[in-house]
């Protein structure tokens, strides 16, 4: 609506009297830095004309003019003639004069007697006073001439009766000049409707005069001076209109006295603050101390308004306003000093009560936004979900880019703004430790969307120093937490230090302050921990919740038929279903939104680049060297651990591992270009030197990271890390030993679930070994290890056999139960309640069987791999007997009478394939066939071995075509060796049956072969105590800690045993010879 067409306010204040107006004008001009302007003609002393001050009419109501008189009457006149036009204002061409007054007779040239000769006459230059009157009246839409109601372009002009009367009384021309412009602006502004912000009038005026100044052509210093002064006065009045509305007879009005609505409009909007206006404001801040507070207040108001919005609302204008605002460092420095910049009393309040918080709060993860992107999530197919996630990512990327530009501007605005921004980020981290709690209360922490935006922006801040050569790694100060750190890590778990040790270390403060790179590095590391990783954890929890909700909804639906004749209860059920469905859909919408945010390729690429830097930095700190991916790393790490490394927060390493694991699984396309040798080096280093890390779960996650890196990815059969693990020197030298070492260590993690955790860890280790086994270097290394580090290898093989024994026994042992349950469920007469109970039991058993059989398949496969390479290592005295017993037992289960109970429906569902498992067990036998100790151990197995079982195995292999003919022949030959060895073993048993008690092992009861004396002075066979120490490193009699190095060989006893055995063999040979002679 045209402001001039607004009805006058109900009660318009009278204009100040002349003396007051003059005082106001003088004070304002003093503030502007210029002398008070004087009138061109002294005002005559006329008591009659000045005895009463005329009342200034309402805006847009000029007086009618009595043409017979030279001045306008003081009484109000009808409505009016001013319009604030929304169309761009244009200045009439230079030289064109528009006026409605007639020229005086004296101004008319007499007509020449004869026509002059035709010649080119240049146009007469417009006098400066005419130009000033025309332009100023058109700019400010005012007139002093009552007979003139429009300018040359038809814009309505408002008559200024007070100023016009003054000029008339002074016998001055009714022309608006720069000298009287201040009075004209005050009169026009005072008359403007009080229902409208005064800046609605003054701001377009300023833009018109600014445009006129730009369009001024040629050298015209006088005209330029007019426009410059008009521009200066207009801008000053714009500021006064907001800061001192009383000067225009207005009461203060928070709705009107603010720059906020003008900042929210686009810069090219007629009623918005253009860049020229902002530039003008910045040029005056040194002389006018009211300008910065006005802008600060406006931005605070914008922030408060934005705090009530979501991404569904018109938030963009607020962000654009801050983007425009951030072009001016003085504005940012002033904003950073405002108390509200970091005023918050809780984590949730940060995103609403601080100035920047509402801008970072805008996110597609806001609850009201998720239900818009994913309306009806239960019915959405994958194509629609992906489409919505793509739209979400595009919107979020744009917003985060804006946030990045804003924060970059603060950082570059000066040390004050930069410091305040870093403080704000640190405050966010310190208030959100509870986001990593096992049970998160959303009322006590900041939202996921807010924290994700913070994390992404901090990733952006790290980009300048994350070059491909890691050249700025050295600028990251490891002693940051000892130099007045912004971050609080007191309650965080440390990498390898308890609370007391950490407190003592950090209590020893160092002088100096951390540089900007260090500050941003540690802030970003913390942001990933409390931001993206916490959000990822929430997505996993949502998966569990959604599964739970779906299960309950299905159970509730199943109850419907029971309530068919109970309408009241049926209505209650329907109401509960509606409520429960709403909860489910809300959870699903949030889950899809989080997934969309986390699966953004660009975001993940920046995140992984940062994690690469963290990886290289951690390795350089731990190794106390200037490690880079192109430089060698000496392993194992130094025995003396750096204290600074010990006391680092555990999340410094955990975030790297979790971030890469997520990327390997969900965005492998990004990982392919974001990973290097440093990642394998990280895993190998801290598995080889595992004493550097206290948390066993964190160490196991390093194995998981390697395992995830072996997933087939596009053209990479062995995954993103497969080639690196196979072909790099560090991996070739240390990978195999490192994972085997942790295979042993994970036997005891200290966790309540350690027994089952170890199987998962070892399964992943098997996959890593299989991925690199194509490189013969690893086979040679394994062989060398078995010779040079016998104790280590014996321990590894022993645990491998323990696992194989357990998982095969548990896995195969579940199938008879599954077989029975499936048989019972086929009975059609089974009651519903009994059927439900059996189905529940079957489901539980099936899950266990599938888990154990998957582990069993991998364990048997690994034994086959190792026995093929190191047959001798598996036949050491302390191992071979147990190995033979395990193989015989499982072979009997698969081929003996028990095999009938293994038949179940859909065996592949449980990863159970007898046609694959049986040949692999046979391969292990064949791999060890050339070893005499193994053959004797099988023959000595009195529990499971019998020749009939071996023959049955041969028949199955042949009938099912599970082995090649030459392998069948090898198996038949081996079976004959077992038979022969069995005969010999039984004879020896007979011959040694009367062995003295002192020759027998106290625990096993067998004849000792290598007796040793324990620290407790008891005597056992070496194989017995070795086997015991593998699972329990204590003396079996006194329970005191001991190692195999603590035993002492009993040489004398061994000699007596050997002599006795020799005498028995000699006696047996003599008896056999006598028998032959008698027969002859």
């Amino acid at each position: 609506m045209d402001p001039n067409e607004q009805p006058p306010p109900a009660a318009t204040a009278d204009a100040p009297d002349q003396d007051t107006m003059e005082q106001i004008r003088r004070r304002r001009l003093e503030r502007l830095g210029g002398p008070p302007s004087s009138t061109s003609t002294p005002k005559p002393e006329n008591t009659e004309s000045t005895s009463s001050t005329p009342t200034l009419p309402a805006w847009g109501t000029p007086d009618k003019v009595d043409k017979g008189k030279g001045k306008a009457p003081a009484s109000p006149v009808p409505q009016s003639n001013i319009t604030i036009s929304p169309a761009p204002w244009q200045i009439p061409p230079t030289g064109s004069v528009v006026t409605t007054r007639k020229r005086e007779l004296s101004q008319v040239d007499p007509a020449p007697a004869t026509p002059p000769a035709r010649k080119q006459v240049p146009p007469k230059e417009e006098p400066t006073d005419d130009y000033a009157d025309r332009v100023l009246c058109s700019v400010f839409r005012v007139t002093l001439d009552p007979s003139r109601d429009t300018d040359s372009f038809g814009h309505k002009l408002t008559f200024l009766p007070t100023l016009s009367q003054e000029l008339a009384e002074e016998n001055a021309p009714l022309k608006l000049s720069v000298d009287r412009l201040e009075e004209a602006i005050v009169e026009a502004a005072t008359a403007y409707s009080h229902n409208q912000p005064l800046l609605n009038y003054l701001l377009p005026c300023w833009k018109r005069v600014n445009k006129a100044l730009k369009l001024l052509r040629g050298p015209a210093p006088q005209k330029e001076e007019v426009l410059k002064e008009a521009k200066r006065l207009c801008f000053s009045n714009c500021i006064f209109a907001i800061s001192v509305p009383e000067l225009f007879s207005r009461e203060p009005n928070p709705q009107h006295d603010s720059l906020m609505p003008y900042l929210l409009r686009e810069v090219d909007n007629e009623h918005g603050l253009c860049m020229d206006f902002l530039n003008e404001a910045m040029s005056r801040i040194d002389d006018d101390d009211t300008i910065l507070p006005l802008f600060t207040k406006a931005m605070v108001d914008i922030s408060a308004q934005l705090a009530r919005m979501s991404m569904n609302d018109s938030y963009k204008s607020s962000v654009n306003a801050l983007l425009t605002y951030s072009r001016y460092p003085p504005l940012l420095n002033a904003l950073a000093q405002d108390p509200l910049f970091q005023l918050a009393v809780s984590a949730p309040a940060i995103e609403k009560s601080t100035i920047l918080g509402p801008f970072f709060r805008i996110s597609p993860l806001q609850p009201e936004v998720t239900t818009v992107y994913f309306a009806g999530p239960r019915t959405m197919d994958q194509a629609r979900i992906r489409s919505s996630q793509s739209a979400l990512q595009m919107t979020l990327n744009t917003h985060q880019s804006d946030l990045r530009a804003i924060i970059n501007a603060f950082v570059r605005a000066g040390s004050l703004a930069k410091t305040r921004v870093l403080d704000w980020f640190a405050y966010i981290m310190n208030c959100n430790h509870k986001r990593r709690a096992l049970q998160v209360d959303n009322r006590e922490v900041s939202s996921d969307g807010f924290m994700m935006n913070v994390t992404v922006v901090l990733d952006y801040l790290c980009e300048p120093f994350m070059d491909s050569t890691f050249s700025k790694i050295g600028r990251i100060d490891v002693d940051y937490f000892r130099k007045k750190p912004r971050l609080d890590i007191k309650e965080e778990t440390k990498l390898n230090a308890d609370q007391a040790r950490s407190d003592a270390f950090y209590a020893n403060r160092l002088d100096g302050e951390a540089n900007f790179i260090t500050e941003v590095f540690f802030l970003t590391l913390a942001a990933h921990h409390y931001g993206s990783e916490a959000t990822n954890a929430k997505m996993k929890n949502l998966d569990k919740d959604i599964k739970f909700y779906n299960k309950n909804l299905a159970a509730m639906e199943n109850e419907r038929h029971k309530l068919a004749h109970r309408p009241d209860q049926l209505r209650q059920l329907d109401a509960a279903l509606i409520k429960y469905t709403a909860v489910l859909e809300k959870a699903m919408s949030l889950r899809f939104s989080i997934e969309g945010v986390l699966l953004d390729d660009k975001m993940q690429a920046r995140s992984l680049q940062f994690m690469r830097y963290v990886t290289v930095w951690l390795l350089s700190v731990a190794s106390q060297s200037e490690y880079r991916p192109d430089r060698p790393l000496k392993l194992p790490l130094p025995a003396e651990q750096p204290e600074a490394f010990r006391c680092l927060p555990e999340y410094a390493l955990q975030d790297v591992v979790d971030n890469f694991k997520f990327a390997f699984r969900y965005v492998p396309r990004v990982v392919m270009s974001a990973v290097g040798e440093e990642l394998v080096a990280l895993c190998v280093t801290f598995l080889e030197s595992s004493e550097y890390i206290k948390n066993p779960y964190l160490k196991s996650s390093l194995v998981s990271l390697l395992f995830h890196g072996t997933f087939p990815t596009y053209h990479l059969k062995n995954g993103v890390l497969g080639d690196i693990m196979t072909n790099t020197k560090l991996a070739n030298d240390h990978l195999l030993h490192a994972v085997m070492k942790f295979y042993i260590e994970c036997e005891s993690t200290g966790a309540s679930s350690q027994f089952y955790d170890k199987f998962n860890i070892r399964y992943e280790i098997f996959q890593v070994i299989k991925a690199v086994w194509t490189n013969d270097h690893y086979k040679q290394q394994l062989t060398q290890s078995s010779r040079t580090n016998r104790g280590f290898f014996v321990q590894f093989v022993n645990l491998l056999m323990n696992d194989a024994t357990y998982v095969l026994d548990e896995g195969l042992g579940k199938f008879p139960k599954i077989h029975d349950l499936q048989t019972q469920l086929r009975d059609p007469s089974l009651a519903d309640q009994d059927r439900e109970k059996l189905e529940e039991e079957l489901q539980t058993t099936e899950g266990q069987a599938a888990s154990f059989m998957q582990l069993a398949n991998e364990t048997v496969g690994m034994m086959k791999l190792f026995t093929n390479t190191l047959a001798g290592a598996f036949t050491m005295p302390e191992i071979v007997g147990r190995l033979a017993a395990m193989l015989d037992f499982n072979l009997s289960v698969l081929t003996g009478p028990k095999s009938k109970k293994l038949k179940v429906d859909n065996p592949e569902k449980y990863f159970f394939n007898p046609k694959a498992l049986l040949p692999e067990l046979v391969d292990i036998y064949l791999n060890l066939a050339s070893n005499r100790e193994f053959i004797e151990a099988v023959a000595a197995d009195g529990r499971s071995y019998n020749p009939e079982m071996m023959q049955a195995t041969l028949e199955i292999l042949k009938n099912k075509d599970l082995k090649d003919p030459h392998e069948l022949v090898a198996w038949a030959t081996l079976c004959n060796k077992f038979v022969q060895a069995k005969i010999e073993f039984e004879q020896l048993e007979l011959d040694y049956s009367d062995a003295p008690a002192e020759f027998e092992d106290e625990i096993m009861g067998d004849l000792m072969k290598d007796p040793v004396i324990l620290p407790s002075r008891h005597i056992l066979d070496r194989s017995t105590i070795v086997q015991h120490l593998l699972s329990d490193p204590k003396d079996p009699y006194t329970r005191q800690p001991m190692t195999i190095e603590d035993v002492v060989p009993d040489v004398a006893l061994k000699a007596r045993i050997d002599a006795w055995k020799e005498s028995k063999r000699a006696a047996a040979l003599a008896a056999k010879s006598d028998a032959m002679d008698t027969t002859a």
Side-chain angles (χ1 to χ4, degrees):
M1 178 180 291
D2 191 335
N4 297 290
E5 296 177 5
Q6 297 283 344
T12 305
D14 292 342
D17 57 30
Q18 295 285 11
D19 292 339
T20 302
M21 288 290 291
E22 181 65 19
Q23 292 174 5
I24 291 174
R25 185 173 65 81
R26 289 178 178 278
R27 285 200 307 270
R28 295 172 67 188
L29 288 177
E30 288 173 0
R31 291 184 64 185
L32 295 175
S37 61
S38 60
T39 57
S40 57
T41 305
K43 182 177 178 180
E45 296 181 0
N46 188 334
T47 58
E48 293 181 0
S49 64
T50 60
S51 60
S52 63
T53 303
T55 302
L56 186 66
W59 175 257
T61 56
D63 296 340
K64 288 185 178 179
V65 179
D66 185 349
K67 294 183 180 180
K69 299 180 180 181
K71 62 182 180 181
S75 60
V77 294
Q79 182 79 20
S80 159
N81 51 10
I82 186 166
T83 298
I84 305 298
S85 173
W89 179 83
Q90 297 180 348
I91 300 294
T94 303
S96 65
V97 179
V98 180
T99 178
T100 59
R101 292 184 296 172
K102 295 180 181 180
R103 289 186 294 171
E104 299 294 335
L105 183 63
S106 62
Q107 296 175 315
V108 180
D109 297 332
T114 59
R118 296 175 64 89
K119 62 180 181 179
Q120 295 290 337
V121 179
K124 185 181 292 185
E125 185 176 354
E126 183 181 17
T128 301
D129 58 342
D130 288 346
Y131 172 81
D133 176 63
R134 174 176 62 81
V135 172
L136 295 179
C137 287
S138 188
V139 165
F140 292 96
R141 303 287 197 256
V142 296
T143 180
L144 300 176
D145 186 347
S147 64
R148 178 184 175 192
D149 57 2
T150 62
D151 64 9
S152 60
F153 293 98
H155 299 133
K156 292 182 180 181
L157 305 180
T158 290
F159 176 61
L160 303 179
T162 302
L163 182 57
S164 177
Q165 182 178 350
E166 289 181 3
L167 292 175
E169 292 171 351
E170 296 168 1
N171 294 323
L174 296 181
K175 295 182 180 181
L176 184 59
S177 65
V178 171
D179 292 340
R180 309 306 292 267
L181 179 59
E182 174 76 5
E183 299 170 58
I185 293 174
V186 171
E187 185 174 353
T190 303
Y192 189 68
S193 173
H194 288 212
N195 292 332
Q196 296 288 327
L198 187 52
L199 210 56
N200 281 2
Y201 164 63
L202 291 173
L203 185 59
C205 292
W206 188 89
K207 290 188 175 183
R208 288 191 288 270
V209 71
N210 186 58
K211 185 174 182 180
L213 192 58
K214 289 183 177 180
L215 293 177
L216 193 63
R217 297 179 180 177
Q222 293 179 327
K223 295 179 181 179
E224 184 178 2
E225 186 63 29
V226 168
L227 294 176
K228 284 184 176 181
E229 181 63 12
K231 177 181 176 182
R232 184 183 72 85
L233 291 174
C234 186
F235 182 88
S236 298
N237 281 280
C238 286
I239 300 300
F240 292 140
I242 299 173
S243 59
V244 196
E246 296 88 350
L247 296 179
F248 304 97
S249 301
R250 287 173 168 250
E251 293 297 326
N253 184 340
Q255 301 299 321
H256 293 174
D257 307 335
S258 173
L259 289 173
M260 183 183 82
Y262 306 95
L263 278 171
L264 288 174
R265 298 181 184 123
E266 297 294 334
V267 293
D268 55 356
N269 186 297
E270 183 179 5
H271 293 288
L273 299 187
C274 64
M275 301 308 298
D276 289 335
F277 186 91
L278 294 171
N279 291 335
E280 179 76 12
M282 294 304 99
S283 69
R284 293 186 176 213
I285 57 176
D286 291 336
D287 300 324
D288 189 345
D289 58 4
T290 64
I291 293 177
L292 288 180
L294 291 177
F295 277 92
T296 298
K297 181 180 182 302
M299 190 49 62
V300 169
D301 292 342
I302 290 173
S303 175
Q305 176 181 284
L306 185 61
R308 299 186 293 271
M309 295 184 182
S310 72
M311 193 167 266
N312 291 339
D313 301 315
S314 302
Y315 71 93
K316 191 64 178 176
S317 59
S318 300
V319 177
N320 287 339
L322 185 53
L323 279 171
T324 303
Y325 195 95
S326 63
R327 297 186 182 188
Y328 301 97
L331 293 180
L332 295 181
N333 281 309
L335 189 63
Q337 295 180 69
D338 191 271
L340 289 175
F341 192 83
Q342 193 175 315
L343 179 65
V345 294
S346 66
I350 295 174
E351 53 189 286
K352 288 188 176 182
S353 302
T354 63
I355 292 176
L356 292 179
F359 294 90
F360 280 78
R361 179 173 174 267
I362 296 295
S363 168
L365 299 186
Q366 291 173 287
E368 58 269 41
V369 181
T370 62
T371 54
V372 172
Y373 275 105
F374 301 96
R378 299 177 73 194
T379 60
M380 293 181 73
D381 57 24
Q382 284 299 314
R384 284 183 59 202
I385 293 172
R386 294 290 176 259
S387 176
S388 295
Q389 288 176 339
S390 296
L392 174 154
Q393 290 168 358
M394 291 176 62
T395 304
L396 183 59
N397 280 335
T398 300
H399 181 57
Q400 289 173 343
S401 294
D402 291 341
L403 295 177
R404 171 197 188 183
I406 291 166
I407 294 302
N408 268 333
F410 270 97
V411 169
R412 289 172 169 76
S415 60
L416 174 62
K418 178 172 68 175
T419 298
R420 294 285 286 169
V421 164
L422 292 177
D423 289 342
W424 183 71
F425 280 129
Y427 186 66
I428 294 170
M429 306 309 156
N430 294 335
C431 289
N432 278 286
H433 287 197
K434 291 183 179 180
R435 278 180 59 83
R436 296 316 305 267
L438 293 178
Q439 297 293 330
V440 180
D441 186 346
N442 292 328
R443 297 169 299 179
E444 297 181 353
V445 297
S446 298
S447 66
D448 294 305
F450 175 80
M451 293 301 295
M452 283 300 304
N453 285 338
V454 168
T455 303
V456 169
V457 169
L458 284 170
D459 274 339
Y460 273 127
L461 283 183
C462 292
E463 282 187 329
F465 65 80
M466 292 195 302
D467 60 333
S468 59
T469 61
F470 302 92
S471 62
K472 294 183 174 63
I473 286 283
R475 297 189 62 185
I476 301 172
D477 189 355
V478 70
D479 289 317
Y480 166 74
F481 292 109
R482 301 171 70 191
K483 295 181 178 180
K484 300 179 182 178
R486 287 182 165 87
L487 288 173
D488 178 14
I489 62 167
K490 181 178 177 61
E491 302 302 323
E492 290 292 339
T493 304
K494 307 307 186 294
L495 275 173
N496 197 20
D498 57 22
Q499 190 67 45
R501 184 166 191 162
S502 171
D503 290 346
F505 177 70
Y506 288 124
N508 183 19
R509 293 292 184 180
L510 299 179
D511 295 332
E513 295 183 356
N515 57 54
F516 180 71
I517 290 179
T518 299
E519 292 276 12
V520 174
F521 176 83
F522 283 103
L523 282 172
T524 308
L525 195 56
H528 277 277
H529 185 60
Y530 303 118
S532 59
E533 295 307 319
T535 305
N536 186 13
K538 184 168 188 176
M539 185 172 71
K540 295 176 183 177
N541 291 333
L542 282 171
D543 287 335
K544 297 177 184 177
D545 292 344
I546 291 169
K547 184 178 180 180
F548 175 78
Y549 296 149
N550 277 320
K551 181 180 178 181
N552 283 1
L553 273 176
M556 294 167 70
E557 286 288 357
N558 290 337
E559 295 295 315
R560 180 178 293 277
H561 70 281
K562 299 179 182 179
L563 306 176
H565 303 293
R566 304 176 192 173
D568 292 341
Q569 294 183 12
L570 189 59
R571 281 193 296 271
Q572 292 178 3
L573 176 64
D574 289 336
L577 282 171
I578 292 173
K579 183 178 180 181
Y580 219 77
T581 301
V583 173
L584 170 62
E585 292 194 340
K586 183 179 179 181
M588 292 180 69
S589 296
L590 179 56
R591 197 267 177 209
F592 290 149
S593 295
I594 291 177
E595 183 181 47
V597 171
L598 292 178
L599 293 185
D600 181 69
D601 287 0
K602 294 179 181 178
M603 185 274 287
Q604 286 293 341
R606 286 190 299 272
S607 177
L608 294 180
Q609 178 68 5
F610 175 74
M611 291 304 164
R612 288 189 67 192
Y613 263 71
V614 178
T615 298
V616 174
W617 180 77
L618 283 172
L619 289 172
S620 63
V621 173
S623 63
Q624 304 175 56
S625 67
E626 295 182 359
Y627 167 76
R628 302 293 182 272
D630 58 347
R631 301 176 188 173
L633 181 63
K634 184 179 180 182
L635 294 182
L637 293 175
E640 185 66 27
Q641 298 181 30
E643 202 67 17
F645 179 85
R646 281 180 177 273
C647 297
L648 283 174
E650 193 175 83
Y651 65 70
L653 179 57
Q654 186 69 64
D655 289 354
V656 174
V657 176
D658 290 344
N659 205 314
F660 273 103
K661 281 169 61 178
F662 179 87
F664 279 132
R665 184 171 182 179
Y666 296 106
V667 284
R669 57 191 175 277
V670 176
V671 183
M672 292 175 66
S673 59
V675 72
E677 296 180 16
E678 68 281 344
L679 190 58
V680 173
L682 179 79
C683 297
V684 172
T685 297
F686 293 117
L687 288 174
E688 181 68 23
S689 298
S690 57
E691 65 276 7
Y692 270 61
I693 302 173
K694 180 174 61 175
N695 186 350
Y697 173 77
L698 181 53
K699 288 186 276 191
S700 69
S701 65
L702 296 172
V703 175
S704 296
L705 182 55
L706 292 174
F707 166 62
H708 281 75
T710 63
F711 291 168
T713 305
Y714 300 108
H715 62 285
L716 302 174
K717 182 180 178 181
N718 287 329
V720 177
L721 298 182
D723 289 342
I724 297 176
M725 291 190 292
T726 303
N727 301 320
T728 58
K729 185 178 187 321
L730 181 70
N732 289 343
D733 291 345
H734 301 285
L735 173 63
L736 189 59
H737 184 270
V739 295
M740 289 173 64
K741 181 173 181 282
F742 192 66
Y743 188 101
I744 297 169
E745 288 182 8
C746 72
E747 179 71 16
S748 177
T749 63
S752 59
S753 58
Q754 66 180 17
F755 181 77
Y756 296 100
D757 290 343
K758 69 181 181 182
F759 293 114
N760 295 325
I761 297 169
R762 288 168 179 172
Y763 171 84
E764 294 176 347
I765 289 175
F766 293 155
Q767 305 311 308
V768 173
I769 293 175
K770 285 165 64 176
V772 302
W773 201 248
T774 54
N775 187 341
D776 289 340
H777 175 83
Y778 286 106
K779 300 175 185 178
Q780 298 168 7
Q781 191 182 76
L782 189 64
T783 303
Q784 182 66 24
S785 176
S786 67
R787 293 171 181 168
T788 59
N789 196 351
R790 179 186 173 94
F792 171 83
F793 198 77
V794 167
Q795 198 172 6
F796 171 76
V797 173
N798 178 70
L799 292 174
L800 183 63
M801 286 194 305
N802 287 348
D803 290 350
T805 301
Y806 179 79
V807 295
L808 280 170
D809 188 46
E810 287 292 319
L812 296 177
K814 300 297 179 185
F815 292 113
K817 186 174 182 180
I818 293 175
H819 175 84
D820 292 341
L821 289 171
Q822 289 177 344
T823 301
Q824 294 178 55
L825 287 169
R826 293 191 190 100
D827 183 0
S829 62
L830 196 63
D832 290 345
Q833 187 174 358
D834 294 337
R835 182 177 297 277
E836 184 178 346
K837 184 177 180 181
L838 290 175
E839 286 176 346
E840 238 178 73
E841 187 178 1
L842 177 61
Q843 185 178 6
T844 301
T845 308
E846 285 179 335
Q848 294 171 345
S851 177
F852 281 121
M853 283 310 303
Q854 196 172 8
L855 291 169
N857 293 333
E858 293 301 327
T859 306
V860 171
M862 193 53 52
M863 290 186 67
K864 173 186 171 182
L865 207 67
F866 283 174
T867 54
N868 184 45
T869 303
L870 295 171
F874 282 82
T875 56
M876 291 182 282
E878 51 267 47
I879 291 174
V880 68
R882 295 181 59 244
L883 174 61
M886 182 271 291
L887 293 173
D888 291 344
F889 175 76
N890 288 290
L891 196 64
S892 68
V893 172
L894 291 174
T895 62
K898 297 179 181 178
S899 62
K900 295 178 181 179
K901 284 283 190 177
L902 299 180
K903 293 181 180 180
V904 295
D905 299 335
N906 302 319
E908 63 278 358
K909 176 181 177 181
Y910 318 112
F911 303 98
F912 177 47
N913 184 0
K915 292 182 180 180
L917 182 58
L918 178 60
E920 289 216 320
L921 286 174
V922 169
D923 284 339
I924 297 174
Y925 277 99
L926 294 176
N927 288 341
L928 303 174
S930 61
N931 192 284
R932 181 64 188 176
E933 288 81 0
F934 174 69
I935 294 173
E936 291 178 350
V938 171
D941 178 20
R943 178 190 177 198
S944 303
Y945 169 76
N946 66 72
E948 291 77 13
M949 174 189 73
M950 297 297 180
Q951 188 61 36
T953 302
L954 178 61
E955 293 301 322
I956 293 173
L957 295 173
K958 186 185 299 183
N959 295 337
K960 301 292 184 181
D961 196 23
L962 301 179
K963 284 295 182 182
D964 295 335
H966 72 278
E967 291 177 308
L968 293 175
V969 171
W971 178 253
T973 303
L974 181 59
C975 290
N976 291 332
K977 291 181 180 180
F978 289 149
V979 171
Q980 184 62 35
K982 180 67 173 177
I983 295 172
E984 295 176 1
F985 174 76
E986 290 176 346
Q987 182 61 46
L988 283 176
E989 282 284 296
L990 183 61
D991 292 342
Y992 297 156
S993 60
D994 59 345
E998 61 178 318
F999 291 175
E1000 294 179 346
D1001 186 278
E1002 295 181 8
I1003 293 177
M1004 303 301 295
D1006 297 332
L1007 184 66
M1008 292 186 286
K1009 296 179 180 179
D1010 185 8
V1012 293
I1013 304 172
L1014 308 187
S1016 60
R1017 309 311 298 168
H1018 289 268
I1019 299 174
L1020 296 177
D1021 190 74
R1022 182 182 293 274
S1023 63
T1024 302
I1025 189 58
V1026 167
Q1027 188 172 328
H1028 168 80
L1029 293 176
L1030 289 174
S1031 56
D1032 185 7
K1034 294 179 181 177
D1035 189 307
Y1037 296 95
T1038 63
R1039 308 302 300 155
Q1040 294 299 311
M1042 68 166 289
T1043 64
I1044 193 62
E1045 285 74 22
D1046 294 330
V1047 303
V1048 177
D1050 194 335
V1051 179
L1053 181 58
K1054 184 178 185 303
R1056 290 168 57 201
I1057 293 173
D1058 290 342
W1060 182 83
K1061 288 165 63 178
E1062 183 61 32
S1063 66
K1064 282 292 184 180
R1065 280 196 293 269
L1069 288 174
K1072 186 177 181 181
S1073 177
D1074 293 343
M1076 291 177 64
D1077 291 342
T1078 302
T1079 303

